[in-house]
Amino acid sequence: MDQCMKILVAVNGQGGFDSYRVPGIAVSPDGGIFLCYEGRRGDRRALLSRRSRDGGRTFGPQRVLREPEGGELLHNPMPLARSSGELLLFWCQDYGRLFCQRSGDGGETFSPARELTGVIDGFRRSWPVTLWSISPGHGVEMADGTLVVPLWLSRGEDAHLPACFACIYSRDGGGSWMCGGVVPAGNGVGDPTEASVAERSDGTLLATMRHEMPGVRRRAFCQGGPEEWSAPWLDAALPDPICSGALLSLGGGMMAFSNCAYGDEPALERQRRGEAVRWSLDARQRLTLRLSRDDGATWSKGLLLEQESGASDLGRSPGGRTVYCFYEQGWSGGDCVFNQNLTFAALPLPLLEA
């Protein structure tokens, strides 16, 4: 494959759901691709998946992983692929409960759900948590076997704000979980929430975060982890319109990064005039994939993957020569917050290196 390949995974109004959101991707050591996402029908959400065994050329049928049994809200499914071949699937309920299931066959079957909500109580010593969620995207297994799940914590004073970035981690394969450090607002970064993490060549982590600060539309980062993180900073070279993005380690100091690379100057100008506006209706545009050869210190100009876009997640083939992107595409009713479908793209690494 020497060109970008794109496949529609889920289209609004088809497959029994009104819309599909929150893409996550995990790739097993044998090359199996597991996609998970939300299916929304009115006020109800189901957790769904599709799987590929041929590098994303074809996908099996859409499967329901979990549906609400009553009025509970299921949200934010997150896969984590282990080097052993085991797949972990995390998800949240009602912005206050966390569950995990294990699969030994690439997501074909799963163990009974295990609740991990009690782990979050450990954050209350450093942050007055009232509601919270794991992030969209995927979890990470580090080279030393540590498992890392990024999340955000909110005081709930203004919906999901004020908020901070954090993670939970496990050093025994998911048997027990511990709380990492928290990263609150600071250094021009406002209320960091949805985040993605990747391991650097020195064994530390880099995290990139969605955040919201009036007058600022640049991507936020922090480093260290999982026990303790640095103060956050802004990358002035990376525009971002307040939308989740993704980081992925490719090995040898190389990383991939995807986000909607748009600075939304129209919204910033309206803010300067005193208008109470968060973003423009077309803010989530220009989904761009970039490469770094220095562990995320600097990034390439990037490859424009999609004009009308939204949240995205990244995976890689076992050999690392193909990068996968699973993302929200198209806008419904002229509003970028509501996408039309979920799309999978496979890109040979040379396309990103050009």
Side-chain angles (χ1 to χ4, degrees):
M1 182 181 67
D2 57 2
Q3 297 180 348
C4 176
M5 177 183 68
K6 295 182 181 180
I7 293 180
L8 283 175
V9 172
V11 179
N12 288 3
Q14 300 180 16
F17 294 90
D18 301 329
S19 64
Y20 300 93
R21 302 289 305 275
V22 195
I25 180 172
V27 184
S28 61
D30 65 1
I33 300 171
F34 178 83
L35 306 180
C36 61
Y37 48 98
E38 294 180 8
R40 301 183 180 185
R41 185 190 304 117
D43 294 332
R44 295 175 67 80
R45 301 182 189 181
L47 308 182
L48 310 173
S49 71
R50 292 188 69 179
R51 300 165 62 227
S52 173
R53 292 298 181 187
D54 57 8
R57 293 175 179 82
T58 61
F59 283 87
Q62 178 171 279
R63 298 179 57 205
V64 176
L65 298 171
R66 199 166 194 91
E67 284 193 287
E69 299 176 353
E72 71 272 21
L73 179 68
L74 306 180
H75 57 99
N76 287 53
M78 174 192 286
L80 191 160
R82 300 192 62 198
S83 58
S84 64
E86 183 181 49
L87 176 71
L88 303 184
L89 178 68
F90 303 85
W91 80 91
C92 289
Q93 178 180 317
D94 298 319
Y95 291 95
R97 298 178 72 184
L98 175 63
F99 297 87
C100 178
Q101 289 178 279
R102 295 174 180 263
S103 174
D105 52 17
E108 177 67 25
T109 60
F110 283 92
S111 68
R114 173 192 174 195
E115 186 161 4
L116 301 176
T117 304
V119 179
I120 306 300
D121 287 337
F123 286 114
R124 300 186 189 281
R125 295 187 296 270
S126 54
W127 190 265
V129 183
T130 59
L131 59 99
W132 51 271
S133 175
I134 56 176
S135 297
H138 64 276
V140 170
E141 181 182 53
M142 301 176 67
D144 66 0
T146 300
L147 308 181
V148 182
V149 173
L151 51 85
W152 54 265
L153 312 169
S154 173
R155 297 205 301 262
E157 297 168 11
D158 179 15
H160 295 175
L161 305 177
C164 68
F165 158 70
C167 69
I168 59 172
Y169 65 98
S170 173
R171 299 202 187 279
D172 59 4
S176 59
W177 292 87
M178 294 169 283
C179 297
V182 302
V183 180
N187 292 340
V189 176
D191 297 312
T193 54
E194 299 170 343
S196 181
V197 300
E199 187 173 11
R200 300 189 296 191
S201 58
D202 65 357
T204 61
L205 294 172
L206 180 68
T208 185
M209 301 159 290
R210 166 178 168 164
H211 75 107
E212 189 166 350
M213 174 72 79
V216 176
R217 291 296 183 275
R218 289 296 182 266
R219 195 67 187 178
F221 290 84
C222 65
Q223 62 187 357
E227 298 98 331
E228 186 174 349
W229 297 89
S230 71
W233 73 84
L234 296 173
D235 190 323
L238 299 179
D240 188 87
I242 311 176
C243 184
S244 63
L247 275 179
L248 180 70
S249 176
L250 299 175
M254 185 179 292
M255 285 187 174
F257 169 57
S258 66
N259 82 317
C260 293
Y262 179 59
D264 200 4
E265 277 297 331
L268 295 183
E269 177 58 33
R270 292 174 64 187
Q271 288 181 352
R272 286 190 285 268
R273 295 199 300 263
E275 296 184 42
V277 58
R278 296 179 68 187
W279 50 62
S280 303
L281 292 179
D282 64 351
R284 295 180 177 180
Q285 60 173 276
R286 298 187 60 79
L287 178 62
T288 301
L289 272 64
R290 305 178 193 268
L291 282 181
S292 171
R293 295 185 179 278
D294 53 14
D295 283 317
T298 60
W299 295 94
S300 67
K301 181 179 179 181
L303 173 71
L304 177 63
L305 181 61
E306 206 74 60
Q307 184 64 35
E308 294 187 2
S309 46
S312 60
D313 194 23
L314 294 172
R316 51 169 284 188
S317 63
R321 297 303 297 172
T322 303
V323 174
Y324 304 131
C325 188
F326 184 34
Y327 60 95
E328 298 174 347
Q329 193 275 325
W331 302 333
S332 295
D335 188 341
C336 67
V337 175
F338 302 102
N339 58 293
Q340 293 181 350
N341 61 69
L342 294 178
T343 296
F344 170 88
L347 303 96
L349 192 58
L351 279 184
L352 303 182
E353 294 175 321

